Amino acid sequence: MTETYHHEPPYRIGVIVGSIAASSINRRLARALMALAPESLECSFIEIDRLPLYDRERDDAFPEEATALKEAIEGSDGLIIVTPEYNRSIPGTLKNAIDWASRPGGSNSLTRVPVGVVGTSPSAIGTAVGQQHLKSILSYCNAPLMNEIEAFIQYPDGLVDDDDRITVESTREFLADWMRAYDGFVRRVLTVVPQD
Ligand code: FNR
């Protein structure tokens, strides 16, 4: 049987990092993930560090940074969000970006966009609780979520080297599997969910 996809690969995947710290371990992990992407995924960062705080009174006159965020998401076939866990939830910077992207009412840029969530923490929790919060938010925003494989990554010192390579083989293989699973997930969503 011939499979037909709404979009043929390569798929344009926007990668959002929930931390804006220059030394972010989540950004390091995101770069390593991007290096593991199969050829069918063209990954590029979508930055959220210049967004003002969301203000609903600006819904009629969006700031240009927020318009750029919405356009970048709408120009993507899928999103990968790589985020730290802050106080058992997500960083305010990431929630702020989601709030902008979801507005104004009737113009939610996240709707039907297939999302994969990953995160890393120095602790054994590996961002599991923060990811559950994020999935709850994204679910409300009508974004199809990849539920399997989950990726709660504990970050020992040096996990990602300066060449964006994961130094622990088992973690590297796991994350390569995760990227392949995400690729399959994007294909399935784009096949069954009308994007227009
Ligand atoms: C943290 N950290 C943290 N870690 C964790 O596993 N669960 C948590 O709930 C929190 N909470 C938390 C709150 C705040 C305000 C900070 C600054 C930090 C530690 C966190 O995992 C660690 O700082 C990571 O290095 C943050 O990720 P980036 O910024 O390096 O990507």
Side-chain angles (χ1 to χ4, degrees):
M1 195 176 85
T2 309
E3 291 176 304
T4 54
Y5 300 119
H6 182 77
H7 294 291
E8 293 298 322
Y11 303 113
R12 297 154 302 174
I13 306 301
V15 179
I16 296 177
V17 178
S19 170
I20 61 171
S23 61
S24 166
I25 57 175
N26 282 277
R27 184 168 291 268
R28 287 184 87 97
L29 187 71
R31 282 198 291 261
L33 264 178
M34 289 158 86
L36 291 171
E39 278 185 7
S40 44
L41 301 182
E42 283 179 355
C43 298
S44 57
F45 282 116
I46 297 176
E47 302 297 348
I48 60 171
D49 57 327
R50 308 210 37 179
L51 290 166
L53 288 177
Y54 176 74
D55 176 354
R56 66 174 174 74
E57 291 183 346
R58 299 179 79 176
D59 273 5
D60 292 334
F62 251 47
E64 66 181 76
E65 296 89 345
T67 301
L69 173 72
K70 288 178 72 66
E71 286 174 355
I73 293 172
E74 289 168 20
S76 302
D77 297 310
L79 292 179
I80 295 175
I81 301 181
V82 187
T83 186
E85 176 178 291
Y86 274 8
N87 299 316
R88 296 287 181 264
S89 186
I90 61 170
T93 41
L94 177 57
K95 180 63 163 54
N96 186 53
I98 292 170
D99 289 345
W100 279 118
S102 69
R103 301 297 292 177
S107 171
N108 167 18
S109 302
L110 293 158
T111 194
R112 302 179 191 158
V113 178
V115 181
V117 176
V118 184
T120 191
S121 159
S123 81
I125 192 100
T127 74
V129 181
Q131 288 191 35
Q132 285 308 119
H133 279 206
L134 178 57
K135 286 180 172 174
S136 173
I137 295 162
L138 292 170
S139 172
Y140 178 74
C141 293
N142 200 32
L145 299 171
M146 184 168 92
N147 294 312
E148 191 185 40
I149 310 169
E150 296 178 300
F152 309 135
I153 309 298
Q154 186 171 14
Y155 197 101
D157 273 351
L159 179 67
V160 179
D161 68 19
D162 290 340
D163 295 322
D164 304 332
R165 193 163 181 282
I166 295 170
T167 56
V168 178
E169 189 179 347
S170 58
T171 306
R172 189 168 64 246
E173 285 172 4
F174 174 79
L175 288 170
D177 280 349
W178 190 93
M179 278 307 253
R180 281 190 287 272
Y182 178 70
D183 179 49
F185 170 71
V186 170
R187 285 169 195 256
R188 285 193 297 281
V189 171
L190 295 184
T191 301
V192 299
V193 179
Q195 298 296 301
D196 301 319

